[in-house]
Amino acid sequence: MASNQLPPSAVHDSGNNSKEAASTVTVDNDSSVESTGTGSWKHAAFHVATTIATPAAYAPLPFAVSSLGWPFGVVSLVGATLTTWYSSNLIASLWKWNGKKHTTYRHLAGSIYGSWGYWSIAFFQQVASLGNNIAVQIAAGSSLKLPHIHSLRWLNAVCTFSTIGFAGTTIGVTIYNGKKIDRGTISYSLKGSSSSKMFKAFNGLGVIAFSFGDAMLPEIQNTIREPAKKTMYKGIATAYTIIILSYWQLAFFGYWAFGTGVQPFIVASLTTPKWTIVMANLFAVIQICGCFQIYCRPTYALLEEIKVSSDQIGRSLFRIHLQRLLYTSLYMGLITLVAAAMPFFGDFVSICGAIGFTPLDFVFPVLAHLKAGKMPKNSSLIVILNIVIATWFSAVAVMGCIGAVKFIIDDVKTYKFFHDM
């Protein structure tokens, strides 16, 4: 049985903790192997856009804004966009920060924070990956193994164009429906008691956090050719250009069209024309295919690291492949079962965003950048900014979790399992 201790490349080699961390090393990993990445900035953009801008991320944004109201909703969405763009660049800047390459998010964390950083990020990454795949399964239901991320580049190119297609179609149909509705019947006022408004706001913050989730940046950067930092910066900028042009329009037009009555999955609020709604759902299903493949990878990779790699010595190739087939099939069956049984879409993406993506995409990047000592001279303002980001989004994680749990409890009281089957 493999040891659950930190692989060698995940141990940071600076400071007084290095000897202590080194004493816990028992397992090898490939993070010190030189890159064979051949991807361009376009491929990086395809991967980043596919992992962030999914239908499960787009669809609840109008609902999130409606939960917060116009002023706070706009500020929260714009702030989350700019913060994750910034934090994504910080993660990219940590490429070979200590002279060694770290090919996964958890190994990057381990190189900076040691064993606890490795296993903390491994936990959050599994929560984010599992939660995202359940969410996209729910979205696919509402709408209707490749060996390496770089192998997905053409699939993700198709998925990126499907993302644009989904966003463009949904935005257009939303505006069309909004103009057809009697505007006098649309309300933007937050309803309910003060506590109800507070829980809705908490839930909305969790949804927004989910919508910017990307738990795979170091894994993506490992597929990119040198200079990996500059190439990744360009890919991130391209992906976020797509995200800004689509996220903001769908969120704001969706809330404008339907007000506080907008559904957690925006397509459910649309009524006409029918063929365009079918088209939006088709784009959603295509995009989900690529997103699902990428977000399965952290779980599969961790299972390989913990179990398969230690057991494959002396085993036949057939038994190794059979073992992989069994655990990948079990994983896909599990998330499909959960998605079918409990499709609380808005509440589920909120709790997933709060527990999984907020630590990975908002909190860890700024703290890791400070810990790694990569701050330029006279950078007191950047230090303050990073601390403010970490503090606020740690609070968002707690608030989003509280709001989501509250509404899941409320929904369970009236919901029947496998209701939509």
Side-chain angles (χ1 to χ4, degrees):
M1 181 176 180
S3 169
N4 288 345
Q5 303 218 349
L6 182 64
S9 61
V11 178
H12 60 88
D13 55 2
S14 61
N16 296 329
N17 294 329
S18 59
K19 292 182 180 179
E20 179 182 350
S23 66
T24 67
V25 174
T26 59
V27 186
D28 290 332
N29 100 79
D30 65 350
S31 63
S32 61
V33 178
E34 282 305 308
S35 174
T36 56
T38 58
S40 68
W41 65 268
K42 290 179 287 187
H43 299 137
F46 293 153
H47 296 321
V48 173
T50 298
T51 53
I52 297 178
T54 69
Y58 276 107
L61 282 173
F63 172 75
V65 175
S66 74
S67 299
L68 296 162
W70 275 120
F72 194 31
V74 171
V75 170
S76 297
L77 183 58
V78 173
T81 306
L82 299 179
T83 301
T84 50
W85 191 341
Y86 170 67
S87 64
S88 295
N89 283 319
L90 291 185
I91 291 294
S93 74
L94 292 173
W95 180 253
K96 296 184 179 179
W97 72 274
N98 60 351
K100 298 179 181 179
K101 188 184 68 167
H102 308 287
T103 60
T104 68
Y105 212 145
R106 60 187 182 279
H107 289 109
L108 174 62
S111 73
I112 298 172
Y113 286 102
S115 181
W116 79 267
Y118 175 90
W119 290 111
S120 295
I121 291 299
F123 169 76
F124 290 128
Q125 201 172 35
Q126 295 312 309
V127 171
S129 299
L130 181 64
N132 182 81
N133 281 333
I134 292 174
V136 298
Q137 287 279 52
I138 297 173
S142 298
S143 303
L144 169 201
K145 304 299 172 214
L146 295 171
H148 196 274
I149 289 179
H150 191 57
S151 302
L152 296 167
R153 60 192 181 278
W154 299 117
L155 173 61
N156 285 346
V158 173
C159 291
T160 299
F161 289 116
S162 295
T163 293
I164 296 171
F166 174 81
T169 303
T170 308
I171 291 167
V173 181
T174 296
I175 295 172
Y176 177 82
N177 279 249
K179 290 183 176 180
K180 299 270 290 185
I181 297 173
D182 180 5
R183 304 309 303 164
T185 64
I186 302 300
S187 172
Y188 301 104
S189 60
L190 299 176
K191 300 176 182 178
S193 63
S194 297
S195 62
S196 175
K197 293 177 183 178
M198 179 185 69
F199 284 121
K200 286 179 181 178
F202 288 177
N203 198 49
L205 290 172
V207 170
I208 290 176
F210 174 89
S211 294
F212 289 93
D214 185 351
M216 301 287 292
L217 282 172
E219 287 85 344
I220 292 171
Q221 193 166 9
N222 185 48
T223 70
I224 304 304
R225 60 175 173 252
E226 297 290 349
K229 288 184 182 179
K230 291 183 179 179
T231 304
M232 195 66 178
Y233 293 152
K234 190 173 181 180
I236 290 170
T238 303
Y240 267 84
T241 299
I242 296 171
I243 289 168
I244 288 174
L245 292 175
S246 53
Y247 267 38
W248 293 3
Q249 290 189 68
L250 181 58
F252 301 145
F253 279 125
Y255 184 36
W256 164 80
F258 303 108
T260 53
V262 67
Q263 296 296 310
F265 192 77
I266 180 64
V267 179
S269 295
L270 307 177
T271 56
T272 58
K274 297 291 185 182
W275 67 270
T276 57
I277 299 172
V278 172
M279 183 184 297
N281 287 327
L282 180 61
F283 281 132
V285 171
I286 293 172
Q287 203 282 341
I288 284 169
C289 292
C291 175
F292 188 87
Q293 289 292 330
I294 286 185
Y295 271 102
C296 285
R297 288 186 55 81
T299 302
Y300 295 167
L302 189 61
L303 288 172
E304 289 278 322
E305 188 174 296
I306 293 174
K307 180 65 177 170
V308 177
S309 61
S310 64
D311 292 344
Q312 63 186 10
I313 298 175
R315 289 177 178 264
S316 68
L317 188 62
F318 172 77
R319 292 195 63 180
I320 292 172
H321 288 312
L322 179 61
Q323 188 177 32
R324 289 171 176 167
L325 176 64
L326 289 175
Y327 72 68
T328 55
S329 299
L330 180 64
Y331 176 82
M332 289 187 287
L334 174 64
I335 63 173
T336 301
L337 179 66
V338 173
M342 300 183 296
F344 309 129
F345 184 72
D347 306 338
F348 191 86
V349 297
S350 178
I351 199 167
C352 178
I355 298 177
F357 286 116
T358 303
L360 288 171
D361 297 301
F362 295 90
V363 179
F364 174 77
V366 295
L367 294 181
H369 200 249
L370 292 172
K371 177 70 172 177
K374 288 301 184 180
M375 307 302 296
K377 294 181 179 179
N378 302 319
S379 58
S380 57
L381 289 178
I382 298 178
V383 171
I384 293 172
L385 174 63
N386 284 7
I387 293 173
V388 168
I389 289 173
T391 303
W392 167 244
F393 283 100
S394 294
V396 167
V398 175
M399 291 186 289
C401 190
I402 291 172
V405 169
K406 194 270 183 187
F407 285 109
I408 288 175
I409 292 173
D410 290 345
D411 289 341
V412 166
K413 295 176 182 178
T414 59
Y415 184 79
K416 296 181 180 178
F417 287 100
F418 300 102
H419 177 269
D420 293 334
M421 295 187 68

